[in-house]
Amino acid sequence: MSKPVVAILMGSQSDKDVMKKASDVLNEFGVEHTFHVMSAHRLPDQVADFASHAEERGYKVLIGGAGMAAHLCGALAAHSTLPVIGVPLTSQIGLGGLDSLLSTVQMPKGVPVATVAVDGSANAAYIAVQILALSDAGINAKYKAFKAGQRDKLLSEMAS
Ligand code: RP5
């Protein structure tokens, strides 16, 4: 088994069901990854330590998901030069995801978080796959086949 290249992090156990969809997509492409619950507010030192050492441990992309005052992805981006993909999450007492969307996407210039739609964890994983495909011919071929499959499926549905 090869070393994990993507880390999926989330602010709470309550985020697991949505963030698991990112894991499912990475599994489809055979991308080794790890899954962590690590709150920027409740475990700030652990988040900083993880992000600071992620690149030397072999990670190439970080995917973060958090709800409410969603500072996890910003904290990851502050402590790492790896690309960070942010998933704003809805939560039971949140504002329908608008709260986490704004707190994930509104990063200062020079410290970006590439933000997907609210609860869009699958797309975060597809972007991670696209980034890895730039330097991995096997993943590149799988992603091209996936795109062609999507197109062919739609065309055959339209024809029937
Ligand atoms: C955020 O607050 C988490 O990412 C989660 O989406 C939300 C609620 O967390 P819990 O109170 O369920 O732990 O930090």
Side-chain angles (χ1 to χ4, degrees), residues 70-159:
H71 296 133
L72 176 60
C73 296
L76 294 171
H79 289 284
S80 177
T81 54
L82 293 172
V84 177
I85 305 169
V87 187
L89 300 176
T90 51
S91 60
Q92 281 193 333
I93 53 172
L95 305 176
L98 184 59
D99 45 359
S100 54
L101 172 62
L102 296 180
S103 42
T104 302
V105 78
Q106 287 283 47
M107 289 296 290
K109 186 178 173 189
V111 194
V113 170
T115 304
V116 297
V118 172
D119 294 337
S121 55
N123 266 357
Y126 287 121
I127 293 171
V129 168
Q130 288 176 305
I131 292 170
L132 297 170
L134 293 171
S135 57
D136 185 312
I139 295 175
N140 196 306
K142 281 185 204 170
Y143 192 72
K144 283 187 165 60
F146 161 74
K147 289 275 281 189
Q150 280 195 127
R151 181 201 58 212
D152 293 348
K153 182 169 179 285
L154 186 58
L155 288 174
S156 74
E157 283 168 2
M158 286 163 61

Side-chain angles (χ1 to χ4, degrees), residues 11-12 14-15 41-42 65-68 91:
S12 169
S14 62
D15 300 326
H41 302 126
R42 294 164 175 154
M68 300 177 69
S91 60

